[in-house]
Amino acid sequence: MNWTLILPELVLAMAGLVILAVGVLPKRDTDFATGMAVLGALLLAGVLVVAQPEGEAFLGQYVSNAFTKFMKILVLAGGALGLVLAMDWNRKEGLARFEFAILILFSTVGMMIMVSANDLIALYLGLELLSLSLYVIAAFNRDSARSAEAGLKYFVLGALASGLLLYGSSLVYGFSGSTNFDGIADAIAGSEGAPFGLVIGLVFVLAALAFKISAVPFHMWTPDVYEGAPTPVTAFFATAPKVAAIALLTRVVAGPFAELAVEWQQVLLIASLCSMVLGSLAAIGQRNIKRLMAYSSIGHVGYALIGLAVGSEMGIRGLLLYMAIYLFTNVGAFAVLVAMRRDGRALEGVDDLAGLGRTDPAMALAMTVFMLSMAGIPPLAGFFGKLYVFLAAVQGGYWTLAVVGVLSSAVSAYYYLRVIKVMYFDSGEALDPRPPSLSVVLAGTGLFTVFFFLFPTPFLAAAQAAVAALVG
Amino acid sequence: MNAAGFPLLSLLTFLPLLGAGIIMFVRGEEAVVAANARWTALWTSLITFGLSLILWFQFDKSTADFQFVEQISWMPEFGLGYHMGVDGISVLFVLLSTLLTPICILSSWEAVQSRVREYMISFLVLETMMVGMFASLDVVMFYIFFEGVLIPMFLIIGIWGGTRRVYAAYKLFLYTLLGSLLMLLAMLLLWFEAGTTSVPAILNLQIAPSVQVWLFLAFFASFAVKVPMWPVHTWLPDAHVEAPTAGSVILAGVLLKMGAYGFLRFSIPLLPQATEWFAPLIFALSVIAVVYTSLVALAQEDMKKLIAYSSVAHMGIVTMGIFTLNHQGLSGAIFQMLSHGVVSGALFLCVGVLYDRVHSREIARYGGVAKIMPSYAMVFMLFTMGSVALPGTAGFPGEFLVIVGAWQANPWVAFGGALGMILGAGYMLYLYRRVVFSRISREDLKALLDLSPREYVTFAPLILLTLWMGIYPSSFLSFFEVSVAALVTRHEAAMALPRLAGM
């Protein structure tokens, strides 16, 4: 039993329990203190992840390698940034409860377990820990009908997805005789052609994971939940859990089911194509910026899935880079959304950004950078994300994916440009001054997005190492 | 390392960005910020232009190789590099970009009063993108600069443009983006085939004719929109009409050249069979562009729109010349690109002079300007003649060479081109007569002031160039003589190969 291997998760979980226990004691608001404590714990976990040894633990249920480290760093960064976005917002909305930070922390633990799971049971445990935390924070603004609706919707559909996952897992177990990823891989390698039941099970598992990453046709919950949930919660939903679910999906298809590539490639191909097309077309008519970002995120999942559908090392490397860039760009864009507040009231309309170019040039510039980056305009980071997945598609000869991908990028540029147009070409009143925490997030993510092209090598090298560990 | 002894091209590319960075951090009252932004932008662009003159004097005209080359590894895992260099085809376009930017900044000195800081930053960023595009020898870098141009241009049109600016800005952005993304796929395939993104290495690829056709179409989607060729030219009149004067100058002067430059840099050397195969189509589109848009120009009521359509017609001559694939045609096309950059840029400035005073671009609003603004009428006359391609002005050598080249390729194409020249004289003189001659149509026009000293300074280099290019074209032709010859030889060799192989 190798306890040191799971140290980051252990530390985080213990910290969560301690903070929870301490948090209930005093009468005063402790949201700031808990928030800081959780941030500290996330940071500590990040350090531990970097220093984590590689190997397997708990009879092969848990694995740690370069790939899981890469993904865990992203997940921890997403969790921490999500919390930073939320703290000031919660206070202004009267939602400053210390449980929020702890829920973020537990969901992060869940995500880390998902990333490292090497067994269907461990996978399910991680996924449920994540999902249960998310259900609660989606409905965190419990006096708001919309927030409660978002939480409920997410819960019902999420439970359905969990059901699909469990059913698929049981089929996989039934036909392969193992819940362990390596065991499943051995069973598939040992059999002549894949057993039909196993393929069905695989499809169920894929469907459940498609739910979590909101790939078409399992995306229906996304716009409603994104719109209803408090804005910083939406920011969190759109980043860390998505990265974790993509990581999980990658590990599942590239690990136990690598031999069945022909089967899952078709599924992912269709999901990727549909997500890109729907994400770009459906966002055009949106007036609510959170719904717009929801469809935008569906589109981005489509582009990321190109890398996986292609099924090559190059493709997975593209996928990893895409998710890393997506995470930071999205956090930045959501920081602007969180800052959208006039006379103390939170705003959600695209038109509420009107005149930002005059009233707050720095934030408007940052938002322009994020929008253009998401549209894939060079030399911003988003362009390189797309470049690598398209390169993988071209290399693998997947011309349909590549051509549909570029066409839908051009379409999606329309609604990203609309945000810029509203900010610069229209006129409107000033927003409330933004809190310093948001300025820091904006500056950090903005600089990352603009200057990614100057120092891509460490990211490429990390992604390369991650892929090598995954496929290796 | 290179003839200048220091990384000249990188300096030219990124110096404007430095200026933009300085302007970004100017603080103070609005009027002070505006003045500082103007002067910083002007000096940055002037220094850039001064440095770029090193290219003019030190460029070795006797070789078709890339010069002033800089190469640094950037993402070695992917074979991506930072690679700059110019040859005879691109060197003058770098100079054109660095020349037009200070002129644009000077021309917007008084015309732009709102958000001056952002305006100047946009223009300097635009200069970086333009120079970078002509100087980059790496397909990914080329693409980055090629696309990057859209960001400042979108803002320039959208913020400082006319009444329908939003529509025009969108149209420009989305048209160009859609085409360019298809080109990106083609570039990715080349990257994958060659294992590197370096242009010289990619140009050595041997590509199967069946693949060439697809690559050609992908490149064509991007370059044809940018040129713009009929029938994908419709974004141009809108963009021109709505853009502020300086935006139009850059658009007509440099941005339109990017598409034609793309044909010269990629399509022709890389895809010889496909080029030959598609040449008749391009000829047809070019002739339609020349004749049709000339007729459309005749009917325009808006001065800027008229000149915009004339640009489409002139660029039709350019594409015609490029695809004749012979020495005269190609030289003429490149010369026409340069002269059009100078002359049409100057014509937009002329319209801007009137617009600044009267705030109308409607032709019917004017009349008898010659009596009120004689110097202006002279200047406008010169550029009108340049646009008409009167011998002795910049327009003539290019169009003449293209017609000569087109005659060798196909006399009917030459006929179409010549017809366009006649129509060109028609619409330009008709414009000139209505605006400058005839009676003074309105009383308020009598109060107009003639050119100010600042405007003289703006026009002076363009006047000089228009005459110089017309009277002694050799000083420009000699720059790309060898490169064009190499391009033609290369194309003929590539076309001869399959025949030698027994096809």
Side-chain angles (χ1 to χ4, degrees):
Chain A
M1 200 73 78
N2 194 348
W3 289 98
T4 50
L5 219 52
I6 199 172
L7 199 59
E9 285 87 347
L10 273 184
V11 167
L12 266 190
M14 295 306 288
L17 294 175
V18 170
I19 296 168
L20 190 60
V22 173
V24 290
L25 291 179
K27 287 268 191 292
R28 297 181 290 112
D29 280 347
T30 51
D31 66 297
F32 186 76
T34 31
M36 283 299 144
V38 169
L39 276 183
L42 291 174
L43 195 68
L44 178 63
V47 175
L48 290 174
V49 165
V50 173
Q52 199 178 13
E54 299 188 359
E56 290 189 0
F58 302 110
L59 307 171
Q61 295 231 2
Y62 178 97
V63 67
S64 160
N65 56 31
F67 177 83
T68 63
K69 284 185 183 188
F70 183 90
M71 282 306 190
K72 280 180 191 172
I73 296 288
L74 286 185
V75 161
L76 286 166
L81 288 167
L83 184 57
V84 171
L85 292 190
M87 273 162 61
D88 177 76
W89 202 89
N90 283 352
R91 182 158 283 200
K92 282 184 179 149
E93 291 286 308
L95 296 174
R97 299 200 189 83
F98 74 97
E99 292 93 337
F100 188 87
I102 293 167
L103 285 167
I104 295 255
L105 185 142
F106 278 126
S107 66
T108 311
V109 177
M111 289 187 273
M112 290 170 72
I113 294 175
M114 273 162 72
V115 169
S116 272
N118 201 35
D119 186 289
L120 290 172
I121 306 284
L123 181 162
Y124 183 72
L125 287 178
L127 195 66
E128 281 307 287
L129 181 53
L130 166 71
S131 302
L132 286 171
S133 313
L134 291 187
Y135 301 146
V136 181
I137 52 174
F140 201 71
N141 189 359
R142 60 185 177 196
D143 297 329
S144 149
R146 281 203 314 165
S147 178
E149 184 196 325
L152 191 62
K153 215 172 236 171
Y154 193 33
F155 174 68
V156 171
L157 291 171
L160 182 66
S162 297
L164 289 178
L165 181 70
L166 280 180
Y167 183 58
S169 305
S170 69
L171 278 175
V172 170
Y173 174 63
F175 281 87
S176 68
S178 171
T179 56
N180 188 282
F181 285 3
D182 303 328
I184 297 169
D186 290 343
I188 293 173
S191 62
E192 287 290 314
F196 188 60
L198 196 61
V199 175
I200 303 240
L202 170 64
V203 171
F204 272 103
V205 172
L206 287 182
L209 293 178
F211 238 106
K212 294 293 171 192
I213 59 174
S214 65
V216 179
F218 303 104
H219 65 285
M220 292 81 81
W221 60 274
T222 321
D224 294 339
V225 172
Y226 276 34
E227 187 187 358
T231 310
V233 173
T234 312
F236 183 62
F237 278 14
T239 50
K242 218 161 238 195
V243 171
I246 287 264
L248 180 60
L249 179 61
T250 312
R251 291 220 35 231
V252 168
V253 297
F257 297 106
E259 295 282 320
L260 295 183
V262 186
E263 319 285 344
W264 55 257
Q265 269 184 315
Q266 302 170 27
V267 177
L268 294 180
L269 193 97
I270 304 273
S272 168
L273 285 175
C274 296
S275 304
M276 288 189 291
V277 171
L278 185 115
S280 57
L281 292 179
I284 290 176
Q286 302 304 326
R287 292 278 167 263
N288 181 301
I289 196 155
K290 281 158 80 180
R291 281 190 91 84
L292 189 146
M293 293 301 287
Y295 283 110
S296 144
S297 83
I298 293 172
H300 283 296
V301 164
Y303 298 114
L305 282 183
I306 291 180
L308 205 50
V310 166
S312 62
E313 275 189 45
M314 186 108 195
I316 296 176
R317 179 169 59 181
L319 165 86
L320 298 187
L321 274 174
Y322 198 96
M323 290 318 288
I325 291 166
Y326 165 83
L327 179 93
F328 290 110
T329 314
N330 231 27
V331 166
F334 270 103
V336 176
L337 266 55
V338 172
M340 280 171 66
R341 189 175 270 289
R342 194 174 288 140
D343 304 328
R345 212 165 43 81
L347 303 170
E348 295 185 352
V350 174
D351 294 334
D352 292 319
L353 283 169
L356 197 68
R358 255 175 203 288
T359 55
D360 191 348
M363 191 155 84
L365 182 67
M367 189 64 168
T368 307
V369 164
F370 299 134
M371 290 293 120
L372 291 175
S373 171
M374 287 193 189
I377 306 296
L380 304 170
F383 165 70
F384 291 95
K386 288 210 169 99
L387 183 72
Y388 293 122
V389 290
F390 289 152
L391 183 64
V394 168
Q395 204 171 27
Y398 290 85
W399 285 101
T400 326
L401 278 176
V403 171
V404 172
V406 297
L407 292 180
S408 49
S409 303
V411 174
S412 67
Y414 174 78
Y415 59 80
Y416 293 126
L417 282 183
R418 205 179 76 215
V419 176
I420 300 173
K421 174 225 148 200
V422 168
M423 289 190 303
Y424 282 98
F425 306 171
D426 299 349
S427 53
E429 286 168 40
L431 300 174
D432 290 352
R434 57 176 189 276
S437 59
L438 288 185
S439 305
V440 171
V441 173
L442 278 174
T445 50
L447 290 176
F448 170 84
T449 311
V450 173
F451 292 109
F452 176 81
F453 74 98
L454 284 182
F455 46 85
T457 316
F459 294 94
L460 289 171
Q464 182 59 44
V467 175
L470 181 74
V471 181
Chain B
M1 125 163 206
N2 66 53
F6 60 95
L8 175 65
L9 291 172
S10 300
L11 201 59
L12 290 182
T13 307
F14 295 109
L15 198 61
L17 219 49
L18 182 71
I22 294 172
I23 295 176
M24 204 180 277
F25 290 104
V26 173
R27 288 278 174 275
E29 294 209 0
E30 198 165 332
V32 181
V33 170
N36 281 330
R38 286 189 186 109
W39 282 108
T40 316
L42 183 64
W43 275 110
T44 311
S45 57
L46 281 177
I47 293 170
T48 312
F49 175 62
L51 279 172
S52 70
L53 287 178
I54 297 177
L55 287 177
W56 175 268
F57 291 111
Q58 293 203 359
F59 186 80
D60 181 359
K61 298 172 189 174
S62 62
T63 167
D65 291 338
F66 290 105
Q67 303 178 31
F68 300 95
V69 174
E70 301 161 24
Q71 201 164 6
I72 309 169
S73 155
W74 180 32
M75 299 187 204
E77 310 84 331
F78 286 89
L80 254 171
Y82 176 86
H83 195 178
M84 297 280 233
V86 286
D87 68 350
I89 295 174
S90 54
V91 62
L92 290 179
F93 292 105
V94 173
L95 284 162
L96 184 68
S97 313
T98 55
L99 169 74
L100 284 179
T101 308
I103 290 180
C104 284
I105 287 168
L106 207 54
S107 80
S108 1
W109 207 259
E110 282 148 26
V112 172
Q113 291 296 348
S114 68
R115 302 203 218 179
V116 178
R117 184 212 317 238
E118 287 85 350
Y119 184 86
M120 294 301 165
I121 291 176
S122 301
F123 264 90
L124 290 176
V125 172
L126 192 57
E127 183 174 18
T128 290
M129 298 295 174
M130 295 186 304
V131 174
M133 198 224 63
F134 288 119
S136 56
L137 285 183
D138 180 287
V139 282
V140 173
M141 272 172 68
F142 174 87
Y143 183 80
I144 287 174
F145 288 120
F146 191 87
E147 283 288 274
V149 164
L150 287 178
I151 303 173
M153 208 60 211
F154 179 76
L155 295 176
I156 287 170
I157 295 181
I159 299 179
W160 296 276
T163 43
R164 284 171 74 239
R165 58 182 190 272
V166 174
Y167 171 76
Y170 265 102
K171 203 166 173 182
L172 163 85
F173 199 104
L174 294 176
Y175 253 74
T176 334
L177 181 67
L178 185 61
S180 306
L181 282 168
L182 292 170
M183 172 174 81
L184 178 65
L185 289 185
M187 287 180 161
L188 291 178
L189 182 69
L190 293 174
W191 179 359
F192 169 55
E193 293 281 328
T196 168
T197 49
S198 162
V199 171
I202 282 179
L203 291 183
N204 286 330
L205 282 179
Q206 297 286 341
I207 300 167
S210 56
V211 182
Q212 281 190 22
V213 170
W214 289 105
L215 286 176
F216 188 91
L217 285 173
F219 277 117
F220 183 73
S222 174
F223 298 146
V225 170
K226 207 85 169 185
V227 166
M229 293 176 73
W230 184 87
V232 284
H233 67 284
T234 59
W235 62 270
L236 184 74
D238 288 311
H240 265 314
V241 169
E242 300 307 327
T245 303
S248 291
V249 173
I250 287 287
L251 193 57
V254 184
L255 263 49
L256 298 193
K257 311 302 175 290
M258 292 166 64
Y261 173 74
F263 280 129
L264 288 167
R265 177 63 72 231
F266 292 106
S267 302
I268 292 181
L270 190 61
L271 313 166
Q273 274 85 12
T275 302
E276 198 87 5
W277 203 70
F278 279 106
L281 174 73
I282 310 268
F283 283 147
L285 294 180
S286 304
V287 169
I288 294 175
V290 169
V291 176
Y292 167 77
T293 51
S294 297
L295 290 172
V296 173
L298 267 174
Q300 294 307 313
E301 296 297 328
D302 180 308
M303 289 194 278
K304 266 188 148 178
K305 218 166 193 166
L306 192 151
I307 298 171
Y309 278 110
S310 86
S311 288
V312 182
H314 283 130
M315 292 312 287
I317 300 264
V318 170
T319 48
M320 187 186 286
I322 289 176
F323 281 84
T324 59
L325 301 168
N326 56 43
H327 199 121
Q328 288 90 341
L330 281 165
S331 303
I334 297 173
F335 196 90
Q336 169 81 354
M337 281 155 76
L338 293 166
S339 74
H340 179 261
V342 172
V343 170
S344 74
L347 281 172
F348 279 114
L349 283 177
C350 287
V351 176
V353 166
L354 283 183
Y355 185 79
D356 287 346
R357 287 163 173 69
V358 185
H359 294 287
S360 169
R361 295 180 309 255
E362 215 182 319
I363 297 173
R365 178 76 179 71
Y366 299 94
V369 170
K371 290 170 196 142
I372 316 156
M373 303 168 69
S375 314
Y376 170 76
M378 264 311 289
V379 172
F380 195 4
M381 166 75 101
L382 175 76
F383 294 126
T384 304
M385 291 305 135
S387 177
V388 167
L390 188 79
T393 61
F396 177 71
E399 295 203 6
F400 178 73
L401 282 171
V402 170
I403 304 276
V404 171
W407 185 271
Q408 297 169 23
N410 182 341
W412 286 105
V413 175
F415 176 73
L419 190 62
M421 285 175 78
I422 298 170
L423 289 169
Y427 59 75
M428 283 313 291
L429 292 175
Y430 185 44
L431 167 75
Y432 192 76
R433 181 182 74 77
R434 281 182 290 172
V435 173
V436 177
F437 296 147
S438 74
R439 281 179 298 102
I440 299 175
S441 59
R442 286 164 202 254
E443 281 304 307
D444 62 343
L445 290 178
K446 284 186 181 160
L448 293 186
L449 297 173
D450 209 344
L451 295 180
S452 70
R454 181 182 57 80
E455 284 162 344
Y456 275 116
V457 174
T458 320
F459 280 119
L462 297 173
I463 295 172
L464 187 75
L465 268 178
T466 307
L467 293 172
W468 185 3
M469 291 176 86
I471 294 166
Y472 195 68
S474 292
S475 28
F476 300 88
L477 284 168
S478 62
F479 270 93
F480 44 85
E481 177 105 33
V482 180
S483 291
V484 167
L487 193 59
V488 173
T489 318
R490 182 196 167 92
H491 179 76
E492 279 165 359
M495 290 311 291
L497 268 181
R499 259 173 271 148
L500 287 177
M503 260 177 77

